[in-house]
Amino acid sequence: MLYARPLAVLISQLERLPGIGPKSAQRLAFHILRLPEDDVIQFAQAMQEARRTVRLCAVCQSFSSEEICEICSDVRRSKETICVVGDPKDVASFERLNEYHGLYHVLHGLLSPIDGV
């Protein structure tokens, strides 16, 4: 075994994240081990809190801490225009531009008629 079991488990868990390969997982794990314990606890608590409290907006299906997200509950938004996006991060991209003032619908994946989706 190259690493102590707890470190090997941490690396293995980090590798499960999208876009994180073995080398990145090792680098992240070593970084985490060098952090002050309080920072690691805050990091773990932030993950737990997000997992426990973030849900899908009942209107657009984007991530929200409330039943209806801030965008859908904003009375200034145009209810007549809906932008269909594949992922919640796409909503954030559009919002950063501050040009679109309608609503969204998040598919949580892309349509692919060839694949039957």
Side-chain angles (χ1 to χ4, degrees):
M1 180 176 277
L2 293 174
Y3 302 110
R5 179 156 171 66
L7 177 55
V9 170
L10 176 59
I11 292 169
S12 174
Q13 290 300 312
L14 291 168
E15 281 184 56
R16 295 175 61 191
L17 296 171
I20 304 295
K23 288 183 181 179
S24 293
Q26 286 177 349
R27 200 168 31 256
L28 288 168
F30 293 152
H31 176 76
I32 290 168
L33 290 178
R34 285 190 292 270
L35 289 173
E37 187 173 355
D38 286 347
D39 290 353
V40 175
I41 291 169
Q42 288 176 10
F43 183 66
Q45 288 173 339
M47 286 191 295
Q48 290 175 324
E49 176 77 7
R51 184 65 184 101
R52 186 175 58 254
T53 62
V54 174
R55 57 181 143 202
L56 298 180
C57 170
V59 176
C60 71
Q61 302 301 301
S62 189
F63 292 130
S64 175
S65 59
E66 303 296 329
E67 184 176 344
I68 298 176
C69 73
E70 290 181 29
I71 293 171
C72 291
S73 60
D74 186 345
V75 296
R76 297 169 295 174
R77 306 288 296 212
S78 169
K79 308 282 191 238
E80 298 181 12
T81 308
I82 297 177
C83 179
V84 179
V85 297
D87 197 78
K89 68 182 175 194
D90 300 329
V91 173
S93 295
F94 276 102
E95 288 299 296
R96 271 194 294 278
L97 296 174
N98 200 26
E99 295 290 324
Y100 177 72
H101 303 290
L103 298 178
Y104 297 93
H105 180 76
V106 181
L107 297 174
H108 293 275
L110 298 177
L111 298 177
S112 176
I114 292 175
D115 296 326
V117 177

